[in-house]
Amino acid sequence: MFLIVGLGNPGDKYEHTRHNAGFDTIDCLADQYGISIREKKHKALLGQGMIEGNKVILAKPQTFMNLSGEAVAEILNYYKMDPETELIVIFDDISLDAGNIRIRKKGSAGGHNGIKNIIAMTGTQNFMRIKVGVGMKPAGGDLVAHVMGRLPKDEGEYFDLAKKNTCEAIAMILRGEIDRAMNAYNKKVREKEEA
């Protein structure tokens, strides 16, 4: 079984903001595979289903971003899952242009508070993650305002592309093809398409 977690903040005012890229991508995955995310349990909204022949739990922590690890740790403990082999976390990344994604087998928090908390609560940074690009803040701009803002309309198509690519990458990862997924999607998709 795999636990696939999308990070974000609960509540209408945070819907479709850059910081909620993880939530939006989980919704995309749920739609694609017919998984209903309605169960409220372990400080998260959960849905169970099958992807590529694997049982999966899709989760959207409801703890707010900075405490995401509380929900992740509870779910992992309850289902006796190993974060190093059965956890995939999807989250926003301001160092990537909107439209680009980056798949990693492990790594540091890189300044992301949600990931920092997951590392603290699970005791490991060796878990798979997919970073969804939301673009850098403008020079002199406020970081919080940037991540809590929504992508402008002209960037929306790039975010749709990132969600589609993330769903395809997850299918590959669940087939045991993470290296192939990294080779396919850790490139600058947006620049390639614009060229």
Side-chain angles (χ1 to χ4, degrees), residues 22-158:
F23 275 16
D24 287 346
T25 307
I26 286 286
D27 288 340
C28 181
L29 208 53
D31 288 346
Q32 188 169 326
Y33 290 96
I35 298 170
S36 173
I37 304 177
R38 292 210 177 119
E39 189 179 9
K40 289 184 179 178
K41 212 170 155 184
H42 309 300
K43 301 180 183 172
L45 282 175
L46 304 176
Q48 294 191 45
M50 299 289 288
I51 299 177
E52 294 295 319
N54 290 283
K55 281 186 182 176
V56 298
I57 299 169
L58 303 183
K60 294 160 71 174
Q62 300 294 292
T63 53
F64 287 93
M65 183 67 80
N66 294 358
L67 298 175
S68 298
E70 291 183 5
V72 172
E74 269 197 35
I75 300 164
L76 289 169
N77 290 339
Y78 183 83
Y79 291 99
K80 297 179 172 54
M81 299 170 80
D82 180 355
E84 298 197 354
T85 57
E86 298 171 309
L87 172 64
I88 303 169
V89 182
I90 306 164
F91 62 101
D92 60 299
D93 190 312
I94 58 165
S95 67
L96 296 172
D97 287 335
N100 293 329
I101 67 171
R102 185 78 23 89
I103 303 159
R104 292 278 183 259
K105 294 179 184 177
K106 60 184 179 179
S108 68
H112 194 285
N113 289 331
I115 296 296
K116 205 178 288 182
N117 191 246
I118 292 171
I119 291 169
M121 295 298 291
T122 61
T124 183
Q125 59 181 17
N126 298 332
F127 53 84
M128 294 175 278
R129 73 276 310 267
I130 302 178
K131 305 174 182 188
V132 178
V134 296
M136 286 188 176
K137 73 175 177 68
D142 179 66
L143 179 60
V144 173
H146 178 69
V147 296
M148 294 303 182
R150 289 167 175 80
L151 284 168
K153 278 186 181 166
D154 61 340
E155 299 270 284
E157 64 187 274
Y158 293 122

